[in-house]
């Protein structure tokens, strides 16, 4: 392990890498400075069965982080190293190191004294909404053609449905028969849930550069509770902004856990939804009226897509997501379906909150226009 970290241009001596649990895809390690005051690092083995184009993936991250760094510098921000991730190159200037065995590794500078949460309160949700809105504004000035899809068709629901059909046909783990009710449930709703894909095909909905994994725990907060940095940039690529909005709500406004075995725990926390929506709409100034009106659908879409993805992995015999116990992907599927149902039940309320938030944003911008005259 020491031999791997030594391939990178580190500023100082470091201690042995310590494994930490971050996400379900890559393997992560914290690498602390050998002496106080030195730089510490975040080392990851990239799951290249999932990210097949590691070069493209790393170039995306470099492109996005450099762009944000530039915007922050222009805006006169301070403490920029804590506000945007920084990749560390290898001694020969590459953004990753490939071992002779074919594993891919990368290193970021570790952002210290940062906090991430599985749950947040309404006040932090408002701030997080503003921060994600700002993040998308920053990404808006990146030409979509300069980024690759680090996982092709990643948030394409029509493609995920096709994968579901394939997984059912193959029934690789022999789990189909016992879960036929889940397959039926998802397939019955599949067409109606592909609204975004249809609107895109009709030229009505655009794709923008998105994060594509806006789980609540992918935002770092500072010690004073202010959002500081958005992390996990593996999936930054062109997509529908509704997905980014929806994924935050899927994770932050669920009163239960993503894999809650007790479905009774799962409800939509409307206070969090409202706070996040208001924060987000106050900064995501580029949204079209269509995009705004589709935000509640974006929430349902992400819970539904996540249910489909977990169920596919269950059918395939758990080849994609890391699991903690044999039926984990089935438990996750059921929990996401319940969340989807809970979101359907409050859809009208979500629509009303979005309409009110839009009205508020307009009021604030009219008032500030008057004040500046
Ligand atoms: C995966 O590994 P992590 O937690 O960053 C997945 C997301 C899912 C999420 C479900 C590349 O993200 O798409 O929403 O699990 N990432 C990839 O919690 O598939
Ligand atoms: Mg991720």
């Amino acid at each position: 392990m020491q031999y791997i970290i030594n391939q990178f241009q580190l500023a100082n001596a470091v201690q042995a890498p310590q494994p930490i649990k971050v996400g379900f895809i890559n393997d992560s390690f914290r690498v602390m400075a050998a002496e106080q005051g030195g730089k510490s690092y975040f080392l990851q083995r990239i799951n290249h069965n999932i990210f097949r184009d590691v070069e493209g993936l790393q170039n995306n991250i470099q492109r996005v982080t450099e762009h944000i760094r530039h915007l922050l510098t222009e805006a006169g921000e301070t403490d920029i190293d804590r506000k945007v991730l920084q990749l560390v190159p290898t001694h020969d200037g590459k953004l990753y190191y490939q071992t002779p065995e074919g594993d891919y590794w990368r290193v970021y500078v570790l952002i210290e004294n940062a906090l991430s949460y599985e749950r947040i309160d309404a006040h932090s949700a408002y701030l997080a909404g503003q921060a994600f809105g700002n993040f998308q504004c920053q990404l808006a000035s990146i030409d979509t053609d300069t980024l690759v899809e680090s996982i092709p068709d990643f948030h394409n629901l029509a493609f995920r449905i096709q994968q579901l059909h394939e997984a059912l046909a193959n029934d690789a783990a022999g789990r189909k028969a016992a879960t036929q009710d889940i397959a039926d449930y998802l397939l019955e709703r599949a067409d109606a849930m592909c609204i975004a894909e249809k609107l895109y095909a009709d030229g009505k909905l655009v794709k923008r550069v998105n994060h594509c994994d806006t789980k609540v725990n992918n935002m770092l907060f500072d010690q004073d509770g202010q959002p500081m940095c958005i992390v996990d940039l593996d999936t930054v690529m062109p997509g529908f902004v509704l997905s980014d909005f929806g994924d935050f709500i899927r994770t932050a406004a669920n009163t239960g856990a993503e894999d809650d075995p007790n479905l009774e725990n799962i409800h939509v926390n409307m206070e969090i939804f409202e706070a996040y929506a208001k924060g987000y709409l106050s900064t995501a100034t580029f949204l079209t009226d269509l995009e705004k009106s589709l935000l509640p659908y974006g929430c349902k879409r992400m819970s539904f897509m996540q249910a489909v993805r977990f169920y596919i992995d269950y059918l395939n015999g758990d080849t994609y997501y890391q699991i903690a116990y044999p039926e984990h992907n089935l438990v996750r599927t059921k929990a996401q379906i319940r969340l989807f149902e809970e979101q359907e039940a409050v859809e009208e309320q979500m629509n009303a909150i979005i309409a009110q938030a839009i009205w508020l944003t307009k009021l604030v911008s009219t008032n500030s226009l008057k004040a500046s005259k």
Side-chain angles (χ1 to χ4, degrees), residues 22-26 50-51 150-151 154-155 160 212-215 217-218 232 234-235 247 250-251 258 302 306 309-310 320-322 332:
V22 180
F24 309 144
I25 307 290
N26 299 315
I50 290 180
F51 297 105
S150 51
I151 301 178
F154 187 52
H155 275 183
R160 296 294 179 190
C212 290
D213 193 12
T214 47
K215 298 207 285 197
N217 57 11
N218 276 335
D232 191 2
D234 287 338
T235 49
D247 225 11
R250 181 181 75 78
T251 51
E258 183 183 59
M302 293 316 288
Q306 201 57 65
R309 292 178 61 198
F310 284 144
Y320 189 95
Y321 293 105
Q322 292 169 4
R332 286 167 169 157

Side-chain angles (χ1 to χ4, degrees), residues 186-202:
L186 295 171
L187 291 175
E188 269 162 30
R189 286 155 184 83
D191 228 26
M193 288 312 295
C194 288
I195 303 173
E197 283 73 17
K198 287 186 198 114
L199 288 168
Y200 178 70
D202 292 347

Side-chain angles (χ1 to χ4, degrees), residues 48 50-59 104 148-150 152:
H48 68 273
I50 290 180
F51 297 105
R52 294 186 173 269
D53 174 11
V54 174
E55 180 93 27
L57 164 73
Q58 292 298 91
N59 286 339
Y104 292 85
V148 297
E149 284 200 348
S150 51

